[in-house]
Amino acid sequence: AAPISGTMRLTAAAVVLAVIGAAATSSATLGTSTNVVIILVDDLGHGGLETNNPYVKGPKVTALREEGVYLERHYVYKFCSPTRGSLLSGRYPFRLGNTRSNFIPWSRPDGLNTGFDTLPLRLKRLGYGTHHVGKWHLGFWNASSLMPTSRGFDTFFGYLAGMQDHFTQELGGMIKCGNVVDLTRNANAAHGENGTYSGELYNSEAVKIATTATEPFFLNYWMQNTHAPFEVPPEYSSLYNFPIPALNTFNGMVSVVDEAVGNLTAALKNRGVWNRTVVVYTHDNGAPLGGGGSNFPFRGGKNSNFEGGVRVPAIVAGGAVPQWRHNVTISTLFHVSDWLPTLLTAIGHPTQLTDSVSATIPYDGIQQWEAIVGTPAVATRSEIILDHCLADFTYEGTGCNHYGVKGQLVGALISGEMKLVVGPNGGEWTNYTNGTESSAFNNPGCGGSPCLFNLSNDASEHINLAEQLPTVLQTMLARFNALKSTYHPPQYNPPAEDALTCAAAAANGNFLSPWDAVTPPPPGPVPPTPPPPPPGPLGPCTGGPGDSGWEVLNGTGGGGPGFTNTPVPDLSEASVDLCRQRCCKTDKCVSVVLHVVNAGDVRCYLNPADGTVSPYARPDTLLAFVRRAQ
């Protein structure tokens, strides 16, 4: 679709629809009649507010900050899906399967743990109407357990995966089915509703809900902006005049965010419900470096455990915030997992948090409503576990850290003003205009040895204090290492299901949809089964070291239709023997796929005797064939 011509008026008609009364300015009496609105902006980072970045034009978000409390030490995960899962579940991201691969590719049968009692589910039990608009990115392959309407939301309008074209809502190259559209209303494909710039499309829906939803309501508005692809109507990019076009585009997307926030807050005020609403505005992670965004003065960006990747703005506003707390900044340590217990307290429903899996996967969120509204404004959190990755980064080349090294523990934690960073992390210092700071600090990414920073006087993480403060370093390392004994999700990703995903989309008018009930496409004609090969000298499929009845195709993969040869390291005879012993149990074992996970873990998969390739033999895995010599 072409950009919208003229000045884009995001949901102006919907805002005008709802003129019911003037907004009240006094603080509401909190209770279960208090509406809850969460605005989560994608990939914007610290420099996305004009109060943090003089080059950004964002007066509506500035006005929101002036009417509320600004949390300057608000922490999230370093990329998308884990932050979202933490917000809805009240758990640290490192306890979530989301951290393994960010649920990429979209055809992976994975999702947020179904044992969690999510925030919308809890609010629904209290009589709230619950509504989700925009990005989901928490799994969708199973319609009955993972879709937004299966996790506590009454209504849903948005996209299921993690990114899409802003104008067409197509997934493009992010899925192996061509240009599949990703737009769903409730649990069904939203045929005929795509083709509008997402900033307008999702804002219109959010304003409509704020205007018409029965109270009390929970509106969870997760914007697509400012996530890639970087696209915006020209009337927004033209607001800026950077010499680098990418900066004009990205900051134009920031101005779309600002206008959308203004439309939503105007709708709440015009309806007369602002005085009984609590509004939370925040970002899901830092801006990606090189994309046009800025996290200055913080180091690093998206995918990094440095402050630029995990420290983002948060604002709490609405009539539920007393007027004397307006335009107040607090330095209380706050984590995204805190929102679940904090908002339940804000509406007068503090509760001892339990659900069906809490005995194994404990809640990590801490209730901090009193710190926000100042009754009293005391710190209630002294530690944040930002990341603690145990994955070995070998299965399909993914893990819970994009800078991971095979077998290396990676993560970060904050204790008071001190911060420990363990393992490799990408991190540069960038200024507001996306230029790299000229720095003589020569600070490595903490891959060789842990880094220690004092955030009270070095929030930009220039000065590594690990050698100067060895006692502090060892104390924090001991705490970090002790986390190994706490709950972590399974380390391996389930294999992607491209065929089922594409079959479901084809059956649904080329719209992305769950595939749990989809029948796989029928296989092609099967050739006659050849007679089994004669047994080798050591008996059928039971050979040992040096068995010449087997040959290893070193350096290449091989297989049948649809399989791309993949270079692999030379394989030891011991690995071949292990594969034989695990997989080749009968004379029908013509070939096996060998997947070397590490020196002590070789996974192999039986191929049918007709020579077709196992469903595990995909181009994106580390593969080799071991076959019986004919």
Side-chain angles (χ1 to χ4, degrees):
I4 302 165
S5 60
T7 302
M8 187 171 72
R9 296 181 296 276
L10 297 184
T11 65
V15 173
V16 173
L17 266 177
V19 181
I20 296 175
T25 58
S26 60
S27 174
T29 301
L30 298 185
T32 49
S33 62
T34 304
N35 304 306
V36 177
V37 175
I38 295 177
I39 304 170
L40 185 65
V41 186
D42 207 340
D43 282 8
L44 188 48
H46 178 78
L49 274 62
E50 68 175 12
T51 51
N52 296 341
N53 182 346
Y55 294 91
V56 166
K57 297 177 174 66
K60 304 299 173 52
V61 175
T62 297
L64 189 71
R65 176 173 177 170
E66 291 171 349
E67 292 185 66
V69 177
Y70 181 74
L71 282 61
E72 67 170 4
R73 297 192 69 191
H74 178 262
Y75 288 90
V76 294
Y77 197 68
K78 60 193 172 189
F79 54 75
C80 303
S81 184
T83 290
R84 299 162 194 275
S86 181
L87 191 159
L88 294 191
S89 72
R91 269 76 171 196
Y92 276 138
F94 81 83
R95 303 192 194 277
L96 309 179
N98 316 43
T99 56
R100 288 190 300 258
S101 67
N102 205 24
F103 294 155
I104 298 173
W106 317 133
S107 54
R108 196 180 299 287
D110 209 347
L112 184 68
N113 191 312
T114 56
F116 293 152
D117 280 2
T118 63
L119 177 60
L121 183 60
R122 290 179 175 276
L123 291 173
K124 187 172 182 176
R125 291 170 181 163
L126 294 173
Y128 277 70
T130 53
H131 312 278
H132 184 87
V133 176
K135 181 172 178 173
W136 179 237
H137 199 185
L138 291 175
F140 65 92
W141 74 276
N142 189 297
S144 63
S145 62
L146 291 174
M147 293 283 281
T149 49
S150 303
R151 303 311 303 264
F153 288 105
D154 295 320
T155 68
F156 168 61
F157 181 66
Y159 59 111
L160 299 168
M163 63 180 291
Q164 59 179 184
D165 184 278
H166 287 262
F167 289 103
T168 67
Q169 287 73 58
E170 292 177 346
L171 291 176
M174 293 301 293
I175 197 167
K176 297 179 180 180
C177 318
N179 292 327
V180 171
V181 175
D182 185 3
L183 189 63
T184 298
R185 183 170 289 282
N186 299 327
N188 301 305
H191 292 291
E193 297 193 62
N194 64 301
T196 299
Y197 184 70
S198 63
E200 180 178 5
L201 183 69
Y202 301 131
N203 190 237
S204 296
E205 185 74 10
V207 168
K208 177 182 176 182
I209 291 168
T211 300
T212 62
T214 301
E215 297 185 84
F217 61 82
F218 170 40
L219 170 56
N220 202 40
Y221 178 25
W222 290 358
M223 296 187 187
Q224 182 180 2
N225 278 347
T226 53
H227 198 289
F230 302 118
E231 301 169 325
V232 73
E235 57 265 33
Y236 291 93
S237 58
S238 64
L239 295 173
Y240 300 89
N241 191 30
F242 290 102
I244 304 173
L247 296 178
N248 299 324
T249 298
F250 187 89
N251 285 290
M253 296 172 77
V254 177
S255 290
V256 170
V257 169
D258 188 71
E259 187 171 331
V261 170
N263 287 335
L264 181 57
T265 55
L268 293 168
K269 292 178 179 180
N270 290 338
R271 183 181 177 182
V273 301
W274 180 260
N275 66 321
R276 52 182 179 272
T277 300
V278 56
V279 177
V280 174
Y281 168 96
T282 190
H283 307 162
D284 68 340
N285 48 251
L289 300 181
S294 172
N295 305 300
F296 186 84
F298 301 139
R299 179 182 182 179
K302 182 178 181 179
N303 300 326
S304 168
N305 280 316
F306 292 118
E307 295 288 278
V310 296
R311 184 169 171 176
V312 300
I315 300 168
V316 186
V321 177
Q323 192 165 6
W324 70 274
R325 295 292 283 177
H326 288 187
N327 208 22
V328 167
T329 297
I330 62 173
S331 300
T332 303
L333 271 180
F334 202 102
H335 188 260
V336 64
S337 62
D338 296 340
W339 288 116
L340 186 150
T342 297
L343 289 171
L344 289 175
T345 300
I347 64 169
H349 246 275
T351 182
Q352 184 69 33
L353 296 176
T354 60
D355 57 28
S356 64
V357 295
S358 55
T360 303
I361 313 175
Y363 281 88
D364 299 297
I366 295 174
Q367 190 285 109
Q368 300 209 66
W369 182 246
E370 289 79 11
I372 293 170
V373 296
T375 54
V378 295
T380 56
R381 178 184 276 282
S382 60
E383 177 187 80
I384 293 178
I385 312 300
L386 293 168
D387 193 12
H388 191 268
C389 178
L390 290 179
D392 63 12
F393 310 110
T394 56
Y395 191 71
E396 297 187 3
T398 63
C400 54
N401 187 292
H402 289 188
Y403 297 94
V405 174
K406 181 178 178 179
Q408 183 168 5
L409 183 64
V410 175
L413 67 83
I414 294 173
S415 179
E417 299 296 336
M418 304 304 296
K419 179 177 177 182
L420 175 74
V421 180
V422 177
N425 278 269
E428 299 175 343
W429 293 273
T430 58
N431 62 31
Y432 298 120
T433 55
N434 208 43
T436 301
E437 177 184 333
S438 176
S439 172
F441 293 97
N442 192 27
N443 194 327
C446 311
S449 59
C451 294
L452 184 68
F453 302 102
N454 186 332
L455 299 178
S456 65
N457 54 29
D458 182 29
S460 59
E461 296 168 296
H462 280 99
I463 305 169
N464 183 2
L465 300 173
E467 292 185 2
Q468 291 95 314
L469 300 174
T471 301
V472 176
L473 176 66
Q474 291 306 314
T475 298
M476 294 186 71
L477 276 174
R479 168 60 177 148
F480 185 80
N481 289 325
L483 292 169
K484 295 178 184 178
S485 62
T486 65
Y487 177 84
H488 289 68
Q491 295 184 36
Y492 297 107
N493 291 308
E497 296 283 5
D498 295 321
L500 290 177
T501 305
C502 295
N508 207 18
N510 210 37
F511 275 62
L512 193 68
S513 59
W515 66 86
D516 56 307
V518 173
T519 303
V526 178
T529 302
L538 298 181
C541 299
T542 58
D547 176 6
S548 60
W550 291 82
E551 61 178 333
V552 182
L553 306 184
N554 286 327
T556 62
F563 179 67
T564 302
N565 287 346
T566 306
V568 298
D570 285 351
L571 303 172
S572 68
E573 184 62 24
S575 295
V576 176
D577 292 340
L578 181 59
C579 191
R580 267 180 262 154
Q581 294 165 20
R582 289 187 180 182
C583 299
C584 193
K585 300 299 184 184
T586 71
D587 287 343
K588 293 181 179 179
C589 180
V590 174
S591 62
V592 293
V593 180
L594 175 63
H595 176 188
V596 182
V597 176
N598 56 48
D601 186 359
V602 179
R603 300 181 174 214
C604 35
Y605 304 102
L606 178 64
N607 274 345
D610 61 15
T612 58
V613 179
S614 157
Y616 291 94
R618 299 182 313 282
D620 57 352
T621 58
L622 181 61
L623 300 170
F625 269 79
V626 182
R627 71 184 183 191
R628 190 176 186 80
Q630 302 298 310

